Amino acid sequence: MELLSHPLYLAPIPLYTQLYNCDRLVINSEEPFVKQTFRNRAVIATENGTQNLTIPVIHNGGRIAMRDVRISEHGNWRHQHWNALVSAYRKSPFFDYYADDFAHFYEERDGFLMDFNLRLHNVICELLGLEREVEIIKENKNNTTDIIDLQRIAEPKALTSIENHTAQPYYQVFSQRNGFIPNLSIVDLLFNMGPEGLLILRG
């Protein structure tokens, strides 16, 4: 079974829930980049609720393939994102274990958004024990029999209506203050649950 999706920034947990039951993640590098989606946005939980982390990109407003989208270094976003992650998860059980695996991503300079997202994805899968092959294609596959199409997960409004997904509660640092918040970035599950996050994905 294959999972068809986009290269997302610290993707939402439901993507990994679906990936658990698949053998391969398939990404169409020619699909157009769309603003205000999880292609360059992640959602984390903070003391005051959710917070969006958005990577600025160089975009002229026209149609551009995801593989060609370049990251902008405008606004010192790397420093801001890392500080937000530290502030949100420094008290979580596993942040100290995994911090070094993520910190260097916010110190380097990556030219292309897709490459940056996929490198983060690979690290996340390794830490979760969820290694799956990633296949990059240039056009959608015609045979959909063995493919789960999860491309709409990139749209924030569609995330809560994904079929066959029931958010399974797990420990969150600020749950006593905010209640359980579903469908956050996968790093929320990783920093709070560590290797046991795989059990949450399995359902």
Side-chain angles (χ1 to χ4, degrees), residues 10-176:
L10 300 177
I13 292 170
L15 182 140
Y16 291 91
T17 301
Q18 295 285 357
L19 186 61
Y20 182 92
N21 296 310
C22 295
D23 303 309
R24 180 183 296 117
L25 174 63
V26 180
I27 288 173
N28 185 346
S29 63
E30 297 296 325
E31 281 291 314
F33 171 78
V34 180
K35 293 181 178 181
Q36 298 181 352
T37 66
F38 294 121
R39 292 168 177 84
N40 66 322
R41 178 194 296 178
V43 182
I44 62 173
T46 72
E47 186 175 6
N48 297 316
T50 59
Q51 178 179 350
N52 290 333
L53 304 179
T54 303
I55 299 176
V57 298
I58 301 172
H59 193 280
N60 61 9
R63 186 186 188 282
I64 181 172
M66 184 66 189
R67 65 177 172 81
D68 295 325
V69 176
R70 289 183 175 272
I71 294 174
S72 170
E73 297 306 327
H74 178 73
N76 200 20
W77 71 269
R78 295 177 190 271
H79 178 73
Q80 293 175 8
H81 284 208
W82 182 244
N83 280 354
L85 288 169
V86 172
S87 177
Y89 297 111
R90 62 189 171 193
K91 295 181 180 179
S92 65
F94 292 91
F95 181 78
D96 288 342
Y97 289 94
Y98 299 138
D100 289 344
D101 294 293
F102 290 92
H104 65 91
F105 283 97
Y106 298 94
E107 298 169 353
E108 302 169 359
R109 294 292 182 268
D110 295 79
F112 293 94
L113 178 63
M114 190 173 95
D115 295 340
F116 181 71
N117 288 351
L118 289 178
R119 288 176 57 217
L120 275 167
H121 166 78
N122 290 335
V123 168
I124 289 164
C125 285
E126 181 180 352
L127 295 176
L128 284 170
L130 188 66
E131 291 91 342
R132 299 290 187 269
E133 179 184 350
V134 176
E135 180 183 0
I136 307 296
I137 61 175
K138 293 187 177 180
E139 59 182 14
N140 286 341
K141 296 185 175 182
N142 294 323
N143 179 15
T144 59
T145 304
D146 295 322
I147 294 181
I148 298 175
D149 188 344
L150 203 64
Q151 294 181 94
R152 62 195 179 106
I153 197 177
E155 312 297 329
K157 291 182 179 179
L159 180 59
T160 57
S161 62
I162 293 175
E163 296 180 10
N164 301 322
H165 173 68
T166 301
Q168 182 175 343
Y170 56 88
Y171 170 79
Q172 293 177 333
V173 175
F174 303 113
S175 59
Q176 289 188 341

